[in-house]
Amino acid sequence: MVNVGALLIGIFFGTLAQIAIFFQLQGPMKYEWFKNHYWITVLMGIPISMLFLHSVKNMVLAFDGQMWPSRLIGFSIGVIIFSWLSWTVFNEPLSTKTIICLVLAVIILLVQLFIK
């Protein structure tokens, strides 16, 4: 049985981490602040890593110690967040290839969440 509370906490921290890492890694391409504050941008990796650690810990707890679900859920969340932010922040179009990859990420997420 999946521990829904731990799963939701894990997804929450994972989503925050994916958003933060998007801006840490892609921010310098668009925003001067990230370019001008290199070491602050680098040090953002510490709290981002802590968010990922909390995410994985809670998702592994949610699935009774199994690690694969946390990895696949984290991957799916990352693909979805990256695609959404690339589209909204950088105005990158969603190509057919990207849409297919997004659909596959959603399918992976649904399989992990709803198939036992």
Side-chain angles (χ1 to χ4, degrees), residues 62-115:
F63 289 94
D64 296 323
Q66 295 181 48
M67 293 173 49
W68 270 112
S70 74
R71 181 65 189 115
L72 294 170
I73 292 169
F75 164 79
S76 297
I77 291 169
V79 169
I80 293 164
I81 295 293
F82 184 90
S83 298
W84 177 66
L85 288 173
S86 293
W87 178 54
T88 58
V89 174
F90 287 97
N91 298 316
E92 284 195 22
L94 294 175
S95 67
T96 302
K97 180 172 63 171
T98 302
I99 291 169
I100 291 169
C101 290
L102 278 169
V103 168
L104 291 171
V106 169
I107 290 169
I108 290 170
L109 185 61
L110 294 173
V111 165
Q112 290 303 308
L113 293 176
F114 297 110
I115 294 179

Side-chain angles (χ1 to χ4, degrees), residues 20-32:
I21 206 163
F22 177 87
F23 285 103
Q24 180 194 29
L25 299 178
Q26 275 60 249
M29 314 289 176
K30 182 169 176 109
Y31 303 108
E32 287 298 317

Side-chain angles (χ1 to χ4, degrees), residues 6-30:
L7 177 62
L8 292 175
I9 291 169
I11 289 173
F12 174 74
F13 281 120
T15 300
L16 288 179
Q18 292 291 350
I19 293 168
I21 206 163
F22 177 87
F23 285 103
Q24 180 194 29
L25 299 178
Q26 275 60 249
M29 314 289 176
K30 182 169 176 109

